Amino acid sequence: MTISYAQQFEDVMLWRALKDVGKGAYIDIGANDPVIDSVSMLFYENGWRGMHVEPMPDCAAKLREARPDEDVLEVAVGSGVEELTLYSFEGTGLTTAVEEHARSHQENGREAELIKVPCLPLSEIFEQFNRRHIHWLKVDVEGMEKAVLESWGKHPARPWIVIVESTEPLSSEPAFEAWEGELTKRNYDFVYFDGLNRFYLHSHHSELEGAFLTPPNYFDRFVLSEHSPFSGFVAGKWNDARKTAERLEHKLEHLQAHHQSVDEARLHLERHVAAIESQLTASQDQLTNERISWTASLEDLQSKFDAKEAALEDLQSRFEAKTAAAEALGTNLQALSQQLALSEQRVASLQHELDNWRAEAFAYRDQSREIFNSASWKLSAPIRWAGSGARGAVELMKAMLRPVIDGSLKLARANPWIKRPILAAANLVPPVRSKIDHFVSIRAPERPPNSVIRTEAWKIAPDSRQVAEWNTLLNSGKSDRSTIN
């Protein structure tokens, strides 16, 4: 089935005349788009190759991309100039060098952009194409047709069929009288008009004239492309269906990708489950071995625990005994603390008494020194010497009486009933009673060991000289003053 891409079925008419040629050649001047409203696309799909002339950069780029095996010239066609200024109307096929046509398009609300492009004559394009046979030539240059055909010059190339847009831009008004002579003088005959284009057949190929007797019809066996203006409704449906198909295809691709990812995830999970099962088996074996080991360890720990518990009970008993002993010790310690407090009070009292005695002794010593150093003491020395003899006699008597008194005291201790008569007799002589009391005090028996106040516990170190002086005074009553000095 043949697909028609051209705007006015130009490709259908040309294909009807040239389909038996095989792989022919063509030149499309003002090619514009490689598919939309293209006269050459039907031929390209059937193996034909040719040259495209398109001055617009974006359209030329599309042609090069879609037809990499064809020649694309990004130039304008004319004679007498090397560069041509064009009015470009983006997104349309209305690009022109005719200022009048450009102004008309601008008045209809279209914006124009001025661009400058190289310009070649048609003779140069024939020369560059360099084919023996050019089966058709199309000229669609928006009002510049005369300039294009005039640039043909004397070049001998004669395309079999020439198609030229022959009305004013965007109008059905004829505009072919100005340039048709350029074709008729080169032996071209008018054979067909489709309402927009005029078809001219060279006299050398007049056998093809029958192909242009009727317009395109059912017997040409063609269908319209989706871009054809005659298939707008169908094209809309087709576009909707195509977009739906694209969405479904995209969704299918997404589902396939998702299905693939699910399969990959399933395989990954299966491998993961297998690995987990393997680890679980190993863990179960390890757990069994550890359970056996733990059982043995638990039994050993139980036996150790029993032994420790027995030891703990024994320790508890001992602790309770120690606690009781500690409580008793605490009670004793409290009692001792009380005794110590009393002892400290007693020591403080005795220390106070000792300090008083020491002060009195120092006073006596100072007084004695004053006396010994006085003139009266020195003058009375003879009298003292005489008294010394008397005192010696007294001391002798004391020495003789001391054993008697000592024995009497022992007798009194052994027989308490005799103590009272002895003391009654001594009271009659106060000096004797004083001696007895003094003798008793220095001969007093040692205090019992359990006494609260113990002599050995006193931390008092009296002056040995003072002790000696006091002993002398206590024993003698009246000391030898010269000895003390």
Side-chain angles (χ1 to χ4, degrees):
M1 183 67 70
T2 302
I3 300 175
S4 174
Y5 296 92
Q7 185 179 13
Q8 282 290 102
F9 309 110
E10 298 97 321
D11 52 355
V12 176
M13 297 301 293
L14 292 171
W15 184 252
R16 183 194 291 173
L18 301 172
K19 62 183 177 182
D20 295 330
V21 172
K23 295 182 179 181
Y26 51 83
I27 296 177
D28 191 350
I29 298 176
N32 196 266
D33 192 89
V35 177
I36 299 174
D37 296 337
S38 173
V39 177
S40 63
M41 185 61 181
L42 184 152
F43 292 88
Y44 184 80
E45 289 180 338
N46 285 277
W48 287 45
R49 294 296 179 267
M51 174 182 283
H52 302 278
V53 180
E54 175 54 54
M56 297 301 297
D58 54 340
C59 294
K62 289 181 180 180
L63 287 165
R64 291 191 185 98
E65 183 178 359
R67 311 279 184 90
D69 50 352
E70 290 189 317
D71 296 326
V72 178
L73 296 181
E74 192 175 329
V75 297
V77 182
S79 60
V81 294
E82 295 181 356
E83 190 177 63
L84 194 64
T85 300
L86 299 178
Y87 294 88
S88 172
F89 296 92
E90 186 177 0
T92 71
L94 302 177
T95 299
T96 182
V98 180
E99 184 178 356
E100 181 181 354
H101 295 332
R103 189 182 304 114
S104 176
H105 297 327
Q106 288 175 324
E107 290 175 354
N108 291 328
R110 295 183 175 89
E111 294 183 2
E113 179 184 0
L114 291 176
I115 62 172
K116 292 185 177 182
V117 296
C119 184
L120 293 177
L122 182 57
S123 59
E124 179 65 24
I125 292 173
F126 285 145
E127 194 67 28
Q128 289 190 24
F129 193 49
N130 194 23
R131 296 289 181 93
R132 179 180 178 184
H133 295 288
I134 302 172
H135 295 93
W136 59 263
L137 167 67
K138 188 205 83 172
V139 179
D140 182 4
V141 289
E142 300 297 322
M144 295 177 59
E145 291 81 8
K146 182 179 179 181
V148 172
L149 294 176
E150 287 178 348
S151 67
W152 193 328
K154 296 182 179 181
H155 196 281
R158 295 296 183 266
W160 291 13
I161 303 171
V162 178
I163 313 101
V164 184
E165 189 175 277
S166 59
T167 64
E168 296 291 341
L170 299 178
S171 172
S172 60
E173 183 180 352
F176 60 91
E177 292 87 353
W179 48 261
E180 188 175 37
E182 294 293 330
L183 293 174
T184 57
K185 74 179 182 180
R186 290 178 174 84
N187 298 320
Y188 281 93
D189 298 319
F190 169 73
V191 293
Y192 181 70
F193 176 62
D194 62 9
L196 177 64
N197 304 284
R198 292 175 68 87
F199 288 71
Y200 294 87
L201 181 64
H202 195 269
S203 59
H204 290 172
H205 303 283
S206 58
E207 74 278 4
L208 300 177
E209 186 176 356
F212 298 98
L213 296 176
T214 59
N217 56 68
Y218 171 79
F219 297 103
D220 289 312
R221 302 294 181 182
F222 72 94
V223 295
L224 299 175
S225 74
E226 60 179 310
H227 303 291
S228 173
F230 298 99
S231 59
F233 178 77
V234 177
K237 295 295 184 181
W238 168 254
N239 287 333
D240 293 341
R242 181 171 54 81
K243 291 178 181 178
T244 302
E246 289 177 354
R247 287 196 301 269
L248 292 175
E249 184 177 0
H250 178 71
K251 187 174 182 179
L252 179 61
E253 291 176 354
H254 177 73
L255 290 174
Q256 288 176 346
H258 180 69
H259 179 69
Q260 183 177 359
S261 63
V262 169
D263 288 341
E264 293 176 355
R266 179 178 56 80
L267 293 175
H268 177 72
L269 287 175
E270 288 178 353
R271 290 193 294 267
H272 187 62
V273 168
I276 290 176
E277 289 178 349
S278 176
Q279 294 178 359
L280 182 60
T281 302
S283 299
Q284 287 176 346
D285 295 340
Q286 183 180 3
L287 184 61
T288 301
N289 296 332
E290 290 180 354
R291 184 181 292 110
I292 295 172
S293 175
W294 290 346
T295 302
S297 299
L298 185 61
E299 293 176 352
D300 181 61
L301 287 174
Q302 185 63 39
S303 61
K304 290 181 178 179
F305 177 77
D306 295 339
K308 292 293 183 181
E309 189 173 13
L312 182 61
E313 291 177 355
D314 179 66
L315 185 63
Q316 183 67 28
S317 302
R318 294 167 58 188
F319 175 75
E320 291 176 354
K322 293 292 185 181
T323 301
E327 291 177 353
L329 183 61
T331 302
N332 294 336
L333 182 61
Q334 186 176 5
L336 291 176
S337 298
Q338 295 175 354
Q339 293 180 3
L340 180 60
L342 294 175
S343 299
E344 290 176 350
Q345 294 176 359
R346 179 61 179 166
V347 167
S349 176
L350 293 176
Q351 182 67 36
H352 180 68
E353 292 180 4
L354 180 61
D355 292 340
N356 292 333
W357 293 344
R358 183 178 289 113
E360 292 179 1
F362 288 159
Y364 290 153
R365 184 188 61 187
D366 295 340
Q367 185 179 4
S368 299
R369 287 178 179 176
E370 291 177 358
I371 294 173
F372 295 156
N373 293 327
S374 65
S376 60
W377 177 266
K378 294 178 180 179
L379 292 175
S380 61
I383 299 173
R384 289 196 305 274
W385 292 341
S388 296
R391 282 195 299 274
V394 172
E395 290 295 331
L396 179 60
M397 290 180 65
K398 288 180 179 180
M400 293 176 62
L401 289 174
R402 189 174 290 114
V404 176
I405 294 172
D406 190 15
S408 299
L409 290 175
K410 289 180 179 180
L411 180 63
R413 290 191 189 100
N415 301 287
W417 58 270
I418 204 172
K419 180 179 180 180
R420 187 178 299 274
I422 292 175
L423 292 177
N427 287 334
L428 298 176
V429 184
V432 174
R433 176 59 188 266
S434 176
K435 292 295 183 179
I436 292 173
D437 291 339
H438 174 70
F439 186 82
V440 170
S441 64
I442 62 175
R443 298 286 185 170
E446 187 179 2
R447 295 183 183 274
N450 58 350
S451 176
V452 175
I453 301 175
R454 298 180 181 178
T455 304
E456 63 270 16
W458 295 357
K459 303 299 180 181
I460 299 174
D463 184 33
S464 59
R465 180 179 177 183
Q466 294 179 2
V467 172
E469 291 177 355
W470 279 103
N471 286 333
T472 302
L473 290 172
L474 291 173
N475 290 329
S476 61
K478 293 182 179 180
S479 305
D480 186 0
R481 303 301 181 187
S482 61
T483 303
I484 294 174
N485 289 333

